[in-house]
């Protein structure tokens, strides 16, 4: 197991800037699993700079659970539980924060390894498991008041007959995407206008803007973007946790005439009842009396919080993140919960490598879990893909289906050394 601190100096151009994160340096606590057979597994935790070293240390603290594992006997359900239930390390969470990011990096690396050994991209590997096998990958503790393993098997069994048809369809057509590239808070109006127009010309039917720092600025930027794209294009907005509950409702009512498609992370990600109150406050706030949807998830720490957000009917859109919760296994639990509650999943992506990894979960969700595309899009941000061995491919506003074996998480060796922190050429 090799762990590296890799940081990209994105703060120099304000890529990724928003109301709470004005100067991110997109970073990866990057793991390589090396095996006697020569196959490698790659995974990472995503951070925005400072603290990436803490993540590296957290991954190192799990070393004894990883090194020496027998590949042929490796049960990825058991492996994920092993990494999240060390009785002493669990004190640092439980199942949240830096230890959970560390577990995610290792669990996703193990899935990358398994998919490479199978000669399949992760989404196709997952889509080949039986309903019972998929359910056995999930840690069901704390979930059974909302969804039981037996009900999850039923849900997956209902979706089973259509898998072949949907696999062929999604492999040919790709998965819908939306883009945030136009909307960073640090961009001036001319840049927002130009990028919004380019997005629509490129085939996107939805874009997202960052909001929440200054109402007058938000209104001006939103108007510029709306004018650029016209009324038929969805424009979502993202406050990155900036507001208290009443502020969120008031602010969104001001933006409502511009027809925001959803408000993302309006308040603290931990505030489940706050999200429910905001959603209730915006049910008829849209321009024609419809709802302004509420979306969250990129900072929702684990399956238990997603369960509560769904039980409280606090969100309209479930935003999984490939690297925030404990990897494929916990995201599988969240996909099952979302399907059981009938809520669309629109993954959070961007950063470095998040698009590459999370696309596999959406393709799999369509094939084997929800069987739905309606209201579903994967976020796309056009940064740093050139550093990946198997970068995402966007064609006319859709993610093309990944075809290479693995999880698309591998960064080119030259980039790993150039952006190594603090000694790589870029930082030294
Ligand atoms: Mg966001």
């Amino acid at each position: 197991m090799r762990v590296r601190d890799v940081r990209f100096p994105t703060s120099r151009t304000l890529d990724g800037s928003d109301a709470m994160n004005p100067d991110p340096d997109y970073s990866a606590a990057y793991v390589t699993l090396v095996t006697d057979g020569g196959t490698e597994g790659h995974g990472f935790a995503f951070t925005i700079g400072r603290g990436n070293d803490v993540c590296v240390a957290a991954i190192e603290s799990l070393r004894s659970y990883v090194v020496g594992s027998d590949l042929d006997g490796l049960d990825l359900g058991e492996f994920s539980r092993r990494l999240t239930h060390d009785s002493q390390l669990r004190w640092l969470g439980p199942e949240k924060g830096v230890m959970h990011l560390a577990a995610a990096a290792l669990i996703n690396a193990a899935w990358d390894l398994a998919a490479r050994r199978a000669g399949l991209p992760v989404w196709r590997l997952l889509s080949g498991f039986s309903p019972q096998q998929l359910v056995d990958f999930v840690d069901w503790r704390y979930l059974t008041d909302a969804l039981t393993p037996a009900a999850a098997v039923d849900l997956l069994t209902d979706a089973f007959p259509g898998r072949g048809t949907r696999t062929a369809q999604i492999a040919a057509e790709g998965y819908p995407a939306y883009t945030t590239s136009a909307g960073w808070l640090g961009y001036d109006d001319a840049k927002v206008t130009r990028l919004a127009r380019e997005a629509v010309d490129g085939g996107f039917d939805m874009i997202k803007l960052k909001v929440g720092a200054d109402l007058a600025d938000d209104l001006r930027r939103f108007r510029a973007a709306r004018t650029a794209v016209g009324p038929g294009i969805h424009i979502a907005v993202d406050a990155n946790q900036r507001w208290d509950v009443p502020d969120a409702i008031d602010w969104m009512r001001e933006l409502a005439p511009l027809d925001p498609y959803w408000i993302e992370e309006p308040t603290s990600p931990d505030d489940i009842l706050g999200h429910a109150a905001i959603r209730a406050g915006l049910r008829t706030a849209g321009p024609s009396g419809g709802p302004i949807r509420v979306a969250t998830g990129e900072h929702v720490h684990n399956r238990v919080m997603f369960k509560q957000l769904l039980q409280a009917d606090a969100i309209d859109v479930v935003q999984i993140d490939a690297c925030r919760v404990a990897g494929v296994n916990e995201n599988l639990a969240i996909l099952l919960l979302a399907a059981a509650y009938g809520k669309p999943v629109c993954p959070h992506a961007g950063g470095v490598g998040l698009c590459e990894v999370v696309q596999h979960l959406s393709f799999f969700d369509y094939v084997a879990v929800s069987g739905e595309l309606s209201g579903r899009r994967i976020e796309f941000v056009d940064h740093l893909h050139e550093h990946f061995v198997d970068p995402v491919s966007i064609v006319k506003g859709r993610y093309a289906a990944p075809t290479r074996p693995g999880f698309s998480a591998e960064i080119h060796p030259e980039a790993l050394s150039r952006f190594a922190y603090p000694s790589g050429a870029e930082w030294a």
Side-chain angles (χ1 to χ4, degrees):
M1 177 180 117
R2 294 195 194 122
V3 196
R4 296 174 173 92
D5 185 338
V6 184
R7 306 189 192 190
F8 299 89
T10 44
S11 62
R12 288 177 196 160
T13 48
L14 299 181
D15 301 336
S17 54
D18 64 51
M20 292 293 265
N21 310 291
D23 56 353
D25 284 325
Y26 286 158
S27 302
Y30 188 85
V31 180
T32 309
L33 302 179
V34 184
T35 69
D36 293 344
T39 310
E40 294 186 346
H42 298 260
F44 55 84
F46 169 67
T47 77
I48 63 168
R50 290 181 293 281
N52 207 51
D53 48 342
V54 181
C55 233
V56 166
I59 295 169
E60 286 288 358
S61 77
L62 292 164
R63 176 174 289 275
S64 66
Y65 287 109
V66 180
V67 174
S69 296
D70 175 27
L71 275 185
D72 290 325
L74 191 63
D75 167 349
L76 287 168
E78 186 278 327
F79 183 74
S80 79
R81 287 186 283 273
R82 195 196 304 176
L83 292 178
T84 49
H85 289 302
D86 176 282
S87 62
Q88 296 185 357
L89 291 171
R90 191 176 177 279
W91 193 266
L92 303 182
E95 298 189 72
K96 63 172 79 70
V98 70
M99 284 313 306
H100 220 43
L101 299 179
L106 287 162
I107 291 165
N108 284 341
W111 277 96
D112 179 52
L113 179 56
R116 287 170 192 250
R117 293 186 87 217
L120 295 168
V122 160
W123 71 276
R124 282 192 184 260
L125 175 67
L126 283 167
S127 300
F129 288 117
S130 72
Q132 187 63 54
Q133 285 174 310
L134 289 170
V135 164
D136 289 343
F137 287 127
V138 170
D139 183 349
W140 287 95
R141 186 181 287 181
Y142 312 132
L143 295 185
T144 53
D145 56 322
L147 183 65
T148 63
V153 168
D154 287 348
L155 190 155
L156 291 164
T157 302
D158 287 348
F160 195 81
R163 281 191 190 183
T165 309
R166 286 192 297 273
T167 300
Q169 182 209 339
I170 206 74
E173 296 174 7
Y175 198 100
Y178 76 91
T179 179
T180 308
S181 291
W184 301 116
L185 208 59
Y187 290 177
D188 63 33
D189 292 5
K191 189 164 183 177
V192 170
T193 299
R194 176 173 59 80
L195 293 174
R197 215 170 264 145
E198 283 176 15
V200 174
D201 291 346
F204 290 100
D205 64 0
M206 173 171 164
I207 64 171
K208 191 167 77 188
L209 304 177
K210 297 294 181 175
V211 297
D214 181 277
L215 181 57
D217 283 349
D218 287 352
L219 282 165
R220 197 192 66 252
R221 288 157 43 84
F222 200 158
R223 250 183 237 118
R226 178 56 80 200
T227 304
V229 303
I233 300 294
H234 294 313
I235 302 181
V237 296
D238 183 354
N240 292 88
Q241 313 164 19
R242 181 67 183 240
W243 301 316
D244 280 17
V245 171
D247 302 333
I249 295 169
D250 292 347
W251 201 296
M252 287 312 299
R253 285 190 175 145
E254 296 287 335
L255 300 183
L258 293 160
D259 197 11
Y261 184 65
W262 76 49
I263 172 60
E264 174 173 326
E265 287 202 302
T267 191
S268 164
D270 292 16
D271 192 350
I272 288 148
L273 298 182
H275 279 83
I278 293 165
R279 183 171 182 270
L282 297 174
R283 281 331 280 161
T284 58
S288 48
I292 299 173
R293 296 165 187 80
V294 174
T296 201
E298 66 186 88
H299 274 88
V300 171
H301 309 301
N302 56 45
R303 67 197 180 285
V304 186
M305 288 184 65
F306 275 108
K307 179 193 77 169
Q308 289 196 33
L309 286 161
L310 292 164
Q311 286 173 318
D313 208 8
I315 53 174
D316 298 283
V317 180
V318 175
Q319 296 184 299
I320 60 168
D321 179 290
C323 304
R324 168 70 55 187
V325 301
V328 169
N329 302 69
E330 193 163 19
N331 269 315
L332 176 54
I334 297 160
L335 293 176
L336 288 166
L337 285 166
Y341 280 82
K343 300 279 186 179
V345 175
C346 295
H348 168 246
V352 57
L354 297 179
C355 301
E356 273 70 17
V357 176
V358 87
Q359 61 177 337
H360 289 269
L361 301 178
S362 283
F363 278 87
F364 159 70
D365 176 70
Y366 177 61
V367 171
V369 186
S370 75
E372 277 285 341
L373 290 179
S374 168
R376 289 153 171 86
R377 292 174 186 81
I378 309 169
E379 184 169 21
F380 173 68
V381 186
D382 196 8
H383 300 313
L384 306 174
H385 302 289
E386 66 275 17
H387 301 304
F388 285 79
V389 172
D390 183 22
V392 294
S393 166
I394 300 291
V395 181
K396 295 196 176 83
R398 299 170 85 95
Y399 278 75
T403 55
R404 288 177 65 142
F407 216 164
S408 312
E410 184 179 2
I411 295 180
H412 284 296
E414 314 83 72
L416 290 177
S417 66
R418 177 177 154 203
F419 294 98
Y421 186 87
S423 56
E426 190 74 22
W427 294 102

